[in-house]
Amino acid sequence: MSVQKPVKRISAPDIAARKGGEPIVSLTAYHAHTATIADDHCDFLLVGDSLGMVMHGYESTVPVPLELMIMHGRAVVRGSKRALVVVDMPFGSYEESPAIAFRNAARIMKETNCGAVKLEGGARMAETIRFLTERGIPVMAHIGLTPQSINVLGGFKTQGRTRDQWAAIEEDARAVAEAGAFAVVVEAVAEPLAARITRDIPIPTIGIGASAQCDGQVLVMEDMLGLSPRVPKFVKEFGKVGEAIEGAIRAYADEVRARSFPAADHTYGVKD
């Protein structure tokens, strides 16, 4: 009898080794069943704090608590076997000090069994990234548009549209790479700058609204499936799942009102 070998899960070092190679594929995932569907096709699944907006109706990612990230992180780990699972550290869980960041990152990894955490911020978070990585926690960084900072940025604004902004963003990229991040998300950054950063730093860049020249791409799954009512310019809808769901619900409602559902095939008779 043949014994099927267990699937080896992709690790943070595996992602780091993909710099300049085959593009890295990623999507967000928040539930076990969508993680199962995406697992065969994605190199890593991001349990993004965007779940606060997509799943829970918040207007931004700022209110998302640590416990919510852990709950969804557990579900995605349970639903996947192959992809690296990266869990976002929510606003307020890592900024105060490297020690507090470590405590919360360690809790995420221990309680979800994920393979890495992600935190926002460039040069200002370099010390924290170094502190975590030196203590065994793989860190994915996030620069450019950092959604947790929208109250400072004044909204979800594209970064690097003028060249006088480039130096600071490039310094952020260099700083997180030197601090030990294994990869960096580059969000809503002007295409030429994102391509330049990708060429200049030794770790993979994961673009979202950036450049096709990035080492990989990530999108919010619900956005690319056509489930979200409003999406940024950088999103391509690869499906129309929202329309399909609405059509199915409409058909169900019509049949219930017409008393044609449930039919005989969907009910149970009596056994005498």
Side-chain angles (χ1 to χ4, degrees):
M1 188 174 89
S2 63
V3 178
Q4 191 173 13
K5 290 183 179 179
V7 176
K8 183 179 182 296
R9 194 181 284 274
I10 294 170
S11 68
D14 292 333
I15 297 295
R18 297 273 293 274
K19 175 68 182 180
E22 181 184 1
I24 299 161
V25 179
S26 176
L27 286 170
T28 62
Y30 314 128
H31 352 68
H33 67 277
T34 52
T36 300
I37 294 168
D39 192 43
D40 285 340
H41 308 283
C42 292
D43 300 302
F44 74 89
L45 297 173
L46 175 63
V47 187
D49 59 358
S50 49
L51 63 83
M53 302 171 72
V54 174
M55 299 290 297
H56 296 276
Y58 293 133
E59 292 185 2
S60 75
T61 61
V62 172
V64 175
L66 184 65
E67 289 72 21
L68 201 59
M69 297 306 306
I70 290 171
M71 181 182 74
H72 285 277
R74 285 173 179 159
V76 172
V77 170
R78 286 195 298 265
S80 61
K81 291 183 174 63
R82 171 185 168 274
L84 170 69
V85 177
V86 182
V87 178
D88 263 347
M89 297 193 70
F91 179 71
S93 69
Y94 60 93
E95 297 90 341
E96 187 173 351
S97 72
I100 289 175
F102 175 79
R103 184 186 311 150
N104 289 324
R107 182 182 170 195
I108 289 172
M109 295 197 69
K110 290 173 72 172
E111 295 187 25
T112 68
N113 202 30
C114 69
V117 299
K118 181 171 77 64
L119 54 80
E120 295 182 6
R124 66 183 175 85
M125 294 311 304
E127 179 187 358
T128 296
I129 293 170
R130 183 174 291 106
F131 191 92
L132 297 185
T133 57
E134 287 177 349
R135 287 158 178 79
I137 296 179
V139 177
M140 179 177 287
H142 185 152
I143 64 170
L145 170 58
T146 47
Q148 293 175 10
S149 302
I150 61 163
N151 292 312
V152 173
L153 297 174
F156 297 95
K157 295 182 178 180
T158 306
Q159 304 296 299
R161 293 296 292 272
T162 59
R163 291 182 183 270
D164 61 338
Q165 299 176 332
W166 284 23
I169 299 171
E170 288 178 292
E171 174 55 28
D172 281 342
R174 284 191 295 269
V176 299
E178 291 170 2
F182 71 91
V184 56
V185 171
V186 181
E187 180 169 359
V189 167
E191 197 281 338
L193 175 57
R196 179 163 153 168
I197 288 171
T198 300
R199 290 192 299 268
D200 289 349
I201 65 172
I203 62 173
T205 55
I206 310 299
I208 176 167
S211 170
Q213 298 306 308
C214 288
D215 296 294
Q217 302 293 327
V218 64
L219 283 176
V220 171
M221 186 183 295
E222 283 74 6
D223 288 354
M224 59 83 71
L225 288 177
L227 275 169
S228 301
R230 295 188 305 276
V231 297
K233 174 188 176 181
F234 59 72
V235 173
K236 176 179 179 180
E237 291 187 348
F238 287 83
K240 298 290 183 183
V241 176
E243 292 179 9
I245 291 174
E246 185 177 5
I249 292 172
R250 184 186 303 112
Y252 163 72
D254 289 344
E255 290 195 18
V256 169
R257 293 185 179 111
R259 296 188 184 278
S260 58
F261 176 83
D265 290 346
H266 311 110
T267 55
Y268 302 93
V270 175
K271 289 184 178 181
D272 291 327

